[in-house]
Amino acid sequence: MRTRTIAVILTAAIGLGLLTGRFVLPGRSARATPSAKPGTTASSPSSSSSPSWPGTRSPAPKPAGGPVKDGNLLAAAEFRTVGFGKPLYVVDRIGDGRYANAACAGEKTLGETVGGPGAYFRGFVTARDTDRDDPTLAVDVKDQAAREVVADAGVPTLAQNYAERLLLEEVACQTEPAGHWVYGPTHTIEVAPGIAASWMGSYRGDLNTTGAAPRGKEPCGGIALLHSGSHYGVLEIDACLDTAAMTRIARAAVTRL
């Protein structure tokens, strides 16, 4: 009788421990709803990763599905992990609007190219002065650190198609006349089946002397195209991040997607 009681207690304890580990969630931005106003400073936890114990591995992320929510977008804290030290204000909105680099790909809205008007826009800015028509954009371009646009295509095959089309549109910016800013080669990050990001670094015009990105030089920000399950997105990085930082940010973004 005594032995049986001890066994029951141990079984219950192990079950509670498993449940506790399973439901530990990654850190999130302090903003709880997409209606937050410009000037709200995002929280900056020391890490956005779930804690792990020696000898254990975190479960692989699963492809996304369903409506895009606040937690599917990049958190401001990720920029601290790559050395971006300025305070960031996070501003969200839902709808449609222009995206990516109009100087190369042409000024278009997401609805005009692939999806509909229900995209989730998130701006990361270093000043509270934002565009009246689109608060995810800083009035002064130097105050824009990044901007993410994410939407749900409904089914994974369509989301993958959208992400590939958006990537092909930006690939054209890898070849520009000498003196014009240019994107570097495409880097692909495969996090898990159905979850991948492709990013290209940005190079100033004075570094473009041959019509393409210079070899052996670090980029200064860039763009990432994201796909996870039925979600897809575009992440523009205006902050001057190098290869290692761009890779980490792109991976973090598509993992949350």
Side-chain angles (χ1 to χ4, degrees), residues 2 18 25 38 52 77 85 88 94 101 104 106 109 112 114 116 131 167 169 173 181 188 207 236 242 256:
R2 189 174 187 180
L18 289 174
L25 300 177
S52 60
L88 281 177
I94 295 176
N101 294 285
C104 170
T109 68
E112 289 172 340
V114 288
D131 190 282
L167 175 60
E169 185 177 66
C173 305
W181 72 265
T188 300
L207 296 176
E236 303 166 65
D242 61 13
R256 293 177 67 94

Side-chain angles (χ1 to χ4, degrees), residues 23-91:
F23 291 104
V24 173
L25 300 177
R28 292 180 56 178
S29 163
R31 298 160 40 74
T33 68
S35 60
K37 298 178 180 179
T40 301
T41 306
S43 63
S44 300
S46 58
S47 173
S48 64
S49 302
S50 299
S52 60
W53 299 100
T56 65
R57 295 181 63 184
S58 299
K62 296 181 180 180
V68 174
K69 299 179 181 179
D70 176 79
N72 295 127
L73 280 81
L74 193 65
E78 292 294 344
F79 288 90
R80 278 185 175 270
T81 68
V82 296
F84 188 83
K86 293 182 179 180
L88 281 177
Y89 302 99
V90 180
V91 191

Side-chain angles (χ1 to χ4, degrees), residues 187-191 195-199 224-227 250-251 253-254:
H187 304 265
T188 300
I189 303 168
E190 295 183 358
V191 176
I195 305 175
S198 296
W199 70 267
L225 294 308
L226 317 170
H227 167 236
R251 178 180 291 275
V254 78

Side-chain angles (χ1 to χ4, degrees), residues 107-189:
E107 187 169 335
K108 303 173 183 176
T109 68
L110 201 64
E112 289 172 340
T113 53
V114 288
Y120 204 132
F121 288 70
R122 171 165 291 178
F124 300 88
V125 295
T126 59
R128 300 186 182 188
D129 192 11
T130 58
D131 190 282
R132 180 177 300 178
D133 296 325
D134 187 345
T136 65
L137 292 170
V139 171
D140 192 331
V141 67
K142 70 177 178 60
D143 294 327
Q144 191 83 38
R147 186 167 178 257
E148 186 176 15
V149 184
V150 173
D152 176 35
V155 294
T157 51
L158 189 57
Q160 182 176 1
N161 177 272
Y162 284 171
E164 290 174 352
R165 287 166 60 185
L166 289 169
L167 175 60
L168 287 174
E169 185 177 66
E170 299 301 325
V171 163
C173 305
Q174 291 175 328
T175 303
E176 291 290 335
H180 190 284
W181 72 265
V182 66
Y183 281 145
T186 305
H187 304 265
T188 300
I189 303 168

Side-chain angles (χ1 to χ4, degrees), residues 5-24:
T5 301
I6 293 172
V8 170
I9 293 172
L10 287 174
T11 301
I14 292 171
L16 287 172
L18 289 174
L19 286 174
T20 301
R22 183 176 180 183
F23 291 104
V24 173

